[in-house]
Amino acid sequence: MSKKVMRRLLLMMLLLMLIFVSVGCGSKVEVEDLAIATAIGIDRVSQNDQSETLFSVRVLKSRNAGGQGSSGSGGGSGGASGGQTEGWMNFAKGNSMDDAKRNLATTTAKRLFLGHSRMIVLGEEKARDGVGDIIDFLFRNEEIRLRNWLLVASGGTAVDFFSISPELTSTFSEEVNDLLTLSASRVSKSYAVDLKGFLTDLATPGKEAVLPLLEIRTLPADDSSSQEGSAPKPKKNVRLKGLAVFKGDKMIGKLEDTETKGFLWVIGEAQSGTLTFPVKNSGTKEPVQVSVEMTRAKSKIETEIVQGKPVINVKIDAEGNLGEFSDNYAAITSQDIAQVNQGYAETIRKEVMPVISKCQKDFASDIFGFGSVLHRQQAKYWKENNLKKNWQSMFPQVEVKVDVKANVRRTGLSTDSIKVE
């Protein structure tokens, strides 16, 4: 073997040795040294005529940590038993988001880790004041994932919600996640929005943002859990209730449950639910209470320019199953089904038109994205009228037409009502 080859081999061996020696774990952080947040809260608080940011978190506590968690400035809040539980809630104030987050270090020796957070809850006051100052922080922070759900604490603060312990799951974030991903779609009265979707809506011309509202409910007191001689303490839980409507980066109003369903009809996101309405029996001519279980719905938004003005055409196609036909004396005929279809379509239209009117006249906020569709379909008109700048002022006067087609596919196990003698 030549000397040249030997030198190359020795050089390769030295390089390999250097690689093994230089690789280390100098920057590692043990998991027990982390305060793992599962939910983030952002509020605005005022003190001595000065506004500050209140940054709060729900943090996991490992099973072997022992005792109830404490939070220094925030106060403890016990969770369910198990390998990982939400042992405590913590918060800190600051002049900015980053300042408030760093001030949490004064209440715990553990390093706050936001990479496992599943949701961000905004206090209503903060949402109405504007979220522009926190968007940059949320987008730049390498630990905060764009898949975090974004919600608004209706009538309160995120801290209020974080003080509630979950009943059916081990963590607060898991309970709210299940509400958003499982329960909301069953009734079509809320709408899940993640951080990525919210940022996209804020940046899209002709489209305003919405966020789901989270509400605290006080339940009847449980006498069995109270100690002898003491008054029973009422329990609290959370529920999804409508949507927060934004204009730019500020929350300007709310949609109630029925209005939220109307919004979902328009954007094609109404997935399930029940509609109840009266029809006249074709035989007896008496009013009959009917319930239809929605099984499928889709919508299409088209635009046209009529006499120099934009017109929005919303076409909704819905299907459903007959859930109830409360006539105990007559069979259901094809004429009855036709009236049910007509009533089904009219009920949908009655849910859609008020929410469109409210968003135009009360909010002047195009949460439906009509302007975005107009931008795509009528690009020349959009550019000539500078609607990127003027759409907000034009939207309240825009004509919106709604056409609904509804069809009941199935009547259940029987086409006849049970006769009561």
Side-chain angles (χ1 to χ4, degrees):
M1 185 179 296
S2 66
K3 291 182 179 180
K4 188 175 181 180
V5 174
M6 286 290 292
R7 281 197 300 268
R8 287 182 177 177
L9 289 174
L10 286 171
L11 182 61
M12 290 176 64
M13 291 175 65
L14 286 170
L15 288 173
L16 287 172
M17 290 174 64
L18 286 172
I19 290 173
F20 286 117
V21 171
S22 62
V23 173
C25 300
S27 61
K28 72 174 182 178
V29 179
E30 299 293 343
V31 67
E32 57 265 24
D33 296 328
L34 295 175
I36 301 175
T38 60
I40 300 169
I42 304 169
D43 293 295
R44 185 178 75 88
V45 293
S46 298
Q47 189 174 8
N48 298 327
D49 296 329
Q50 289 188 341
S51 178
E52 291 185 299
T53 297
L54 182 66
F55 188 87
S56 55
V57 288
R58 285 295 296 253
V59 177
L60 287 174
K61 186 182 73 172
S62 62
R63 182 176 50 189
N64 59 2
Q68 293 293 330
S70 62
S71 66
S73 73
S77 161
S81 61
Q84 293 280 345
T85 65
E86 278 184 327
W88 49 280
M89 180 269 291
N90 201 1
F91 63 81
K93 299 176 185 177
N95 295 322
S96 65
M97 284 287 298
D98 193 51
D99 184 39
K101 172 180 173 289
R102 290 181 181 276
N103 286 341
L104 279 172
T106 64
T107 67
T108 177
K110 294 191 174 186
R111 175 183 174 272
L112 181 64
F113 180 66
L114 304 177
H116 284 296
S117 170
R118 302 182 74 176
M119 67 188 54
I120 302 167
V121 180
L122 307 175
E124 183 172 331
E125 185 178 354
K126 177 59 187 174
R128 290 186 179 275
D129 186 54
V131 298
D133 59 327
I134 67 173
I135 292 300
D136 186 70
F137 171 83
L138 296 175
F139 186 69
R140 288 180 185 275
N141 192 292
E142 69 278 3
E143 290 183 357
I144 297 178
R145 297 178 296 176
L146 294 176
R147 295 196 302 270
N148 271 277
W149 297 121
L150 215 56
L151 305 100
V152 174
S154 180
T157 66
V159 173
D160 296 334
F161 286 81
F162 287 176
S163 63
I164 298 175
S165 297
E167 293 290 336
L168 300 178
T169 59
S170 59
T171 65
F172 173 83
S173 60
E174 185 179 355
E175 189 156 282
V176 177
N177 178 75
D178 289 348
L179 287 176
L180 287 169
T181 58
L182 301 177
S183 300
S185 61
R186 296 172 188 156
V187 293
S188 296
K189 293 182 179 180
S190 188
Y191 182 55
V193 180
D194 60 17
L195 179 56
K196 180 181 178 182
F198 184 69
L199 294 174
T200 300
D201 287 345
L202 290 180
T204 302
K207 175 75 168 69
E208 301 292 352
V210 296
L211 288 180
L213 286 167
L214 202 59
E215 181 186 70
I216 295 178
R217 293 196 314 161
T218 301
L219 305 177
D222 185 2
D223 297 335
S224 61
S225 62
S226 61
Q227 296 180 353
E228 187 176 353
S230 62
K233 295 182 178 180
K235 288 187 176 182
K236 295 181 178 181
N237 67 1
V238 297
R239 63 160 292 196
L240 296 173
K241 183 173 173 44
L243 294 175
V245 177
F246 281 75
K247 189 174 183 179
D249 72 328
K250 294 182 179 181
M251 175 182 167
I252 58 169
K254 300 179 182 180
L255 296 183
E256 299 299 327
D257 288 347
T258 302
E259 294 169 335
T260 298
K261 186 183 286 187
F263 163 73
L264 295 176
W265 284 117
V266 174
I267 66 171
E269 292 292 337
Q271 300 179 31
S272 184
T274 300
L275 277 77
T276 302
F277 50 90
V279 299
K280 283 188 177 181
N281 184 283
S282 61
T284 64
K285 307 301 180 183
E286 294 295 326
V288 178
Q289 188 81 347
V290 173
S291 290
V292 174
E293 299 172 358
M294 181 177 58
T295 58
R296 187 186 68 85
K298 61 181 181 180
S299 70
K300 187 176 182 180
I301 301 173
E302 296 178 337
T303 62
E304 58 180 336
I305 308 300
V306 180
Q307 296 180 351
K309 296 181 179 180
V311 176
I312 310 297
N313 297 296
V314 181
K315 298 179 180 180
I316 300 172
D317 186 5
E319 293 182 0
N321 296 332
L322 186 63
E324 180 183 352
F325 190 87
S326 58
D327 190 329
N328 299 323
Y329 302 98
I332 302 174
T333 66
S334 58
Q335 289 83 2
D336 292 323
I337 295 299
Q339 290 198 56
V340 170
N341 289 337
Q342 184 179 349
Y344 186 18
E346 185 59 30
T347 303
I348 293 173
R349 196 173 189 280
K350 287 179 179 178
E351 291 185 341
V352 169
M353 295 308 296
V355 69
I356 293 177
S357 177
K358 185 174 185 177
C359 288
Q360 285 188 301
K361 292 180 172 56
D362 297 348
F363 301 148
S365 176
D366 182 9
I367 61 175
F368 312 98
F370 293 151
S372 178
V373 177
L374 182 69
H375 184 200
R376 293 195 307 270
Q377 296 181 357
Q378 311 289 342
K380 183 179 178 181
Y381 181 86
W382 180 273
K383 185 176 180 180
E384 288 175 348
N385 292 272
N386 194 18
L387 292 186
K388 184 176 182 180
K389 179 181 179 181
N390 299 326
W391 177 247
Q392 278 192 353
S393 59
M394 178 182 283
F395 173 64
Q397 287 79 42
V398 171
E399 182 182 2
V400 181
K401 299 179 180 179
V402 178
D403 178 51
V404 182
K405 294 181 180 179
N407 190 14
V408 173
R409 292 289 186 183
R410 298 177 179 85
T411 59
L413 297 178
S414 174
T415 56
D416 297 338
S417 297
I418 297 176
K419 292 182 175 59
V420 178
E421 303 295 341

